[in-house]
Amino acid sequence: MKKITILILFLVICFLTAAFGSYFTVKSVSTWYLTIEKPLWNPPSWVFGPVWTILYILIALSGWLVWMKGSEKPVRIVLFLYFIQIFLNAIWSPIFFGLHNPFLAFIDICLLWIFIVIYMYFSCKISLPACILFIPYLAWVTFASILNFAIWRLNI
């Protein structure tokens, strides 16, 4: 029962992160975001919700799989890295959509990308499935980083 409770906790953390970001996104996506230049390859708005829903489930499962490996120091370090990337993920939307600052958001998403890679490297040593679950996340954040950069450059 404890394993299921912790899985639910990881899911709650991920979806609270999503809700926090959505608060800033929803307020801005139909106002400020419509007024800025975006590349022609910018995905339609409806794509982001389903993609992030799937990604947050994978992110939660990955963290849970690491947690299941015990409380030894390597596991604690990987979980620390996990929560750093969650934090960086959580602050991107307030920076981009809340502060209307694509440049600062780009710095944040680059740090997020770095911490995803670091997390994957160390989680791979503890739980290969946990690492593999982050591959779509890394792919999406790579794409989002390029998009963020393009938006910043088009609007300076």
Side-chain angles (χ1 to χ4, degrees), residues 43-59:
S45 296
W46 64 265
V47 168
F48 293 91
V51 167
W52 276 110
T53 300
I54 293 165
L55 291 175
Y56 280 124
I57 292 168
L58 298 176
I59 294 166

Side-chain angles (χ1 to χ4, degrees), residues 75-142:
V75 173
R76 290 193 313 269
I77 290 169
V78 172
L79 288 174
F80 179 71
L81 295 168
Y82 176 88
F83 286 108
I84 290 174
Q85 68 78 28
I86 286 287
F87 172 77
L88 291 168
N89 180 312
I91 65 171
W92 185 87
S93 288
I95 295 169
F96 187 89
F97 289 108
L99 298 177
H100 305 163
N101 193 330
F103 174 69
L104 190 54
F106 179 67
I107 292 170
D108 174 72
I109 204 167
C110 288
L111 289 171
L112 173 59
W113 190 92
I114 290 166
F115 273 93
I116 290 169
V117 170
I118 294 169
Y119 170 82
M120 289 176 72
Y121 174 79
F122 286 104
S123 68
C124 193
K125 298 170 189 276
I126 292 172
S127 170
L128 183 58
C131 176
I132 291 169
L133 287 170
F134 257 52
I135 292 172
Y137 182 34
L138 179 63
W140 183 259
V141 170
T142 300

Side-chain angles (χ1 to χ4, degrees), residues 3-4 6 10 62-71 75 79:
K3 291 178 182 179
I4 298 300
I6 298 298
F10 273 98
S62 177
W64 178 68
L65 288 172
V66 170
W67 174 85
M68 296 246 307
K69 293 298 181 176
S71 61
V75 173
L79 288 174

Side-chain angles (χ1 to χ4, degrees), residues 3-25:
K3 291 178 182 179
I4 298 300
T5 302
I6 298 298
L7 173 59
I8 291 169
L9 181 61
F10 273 98
L11 287 164
V12 167
I13 289 167
C14 286
F15 283 100
L16 283 175
T17 300
F20 178 71
S22 292
Y23 172 78
F24 295 93
T25 304

Side-chain angles (χ1 to χ4, degrees), residues 28-58:
S28 189
V29 78
S30 61
T31 56
W32 169 78
Y33 191 69
L34 293 176
T35 68
I36 63 172
E37 294 292 322
K38 292 172 280 306
L40 294 174
W41 45 271
N42 187 62
S45 296
W46 64 265
V47 168
F48 293 91
V51 167
W52 276 110
T53 300
I54 293 165
L55 291 175
Y56 280 124
I57 292 168
L58 298 176

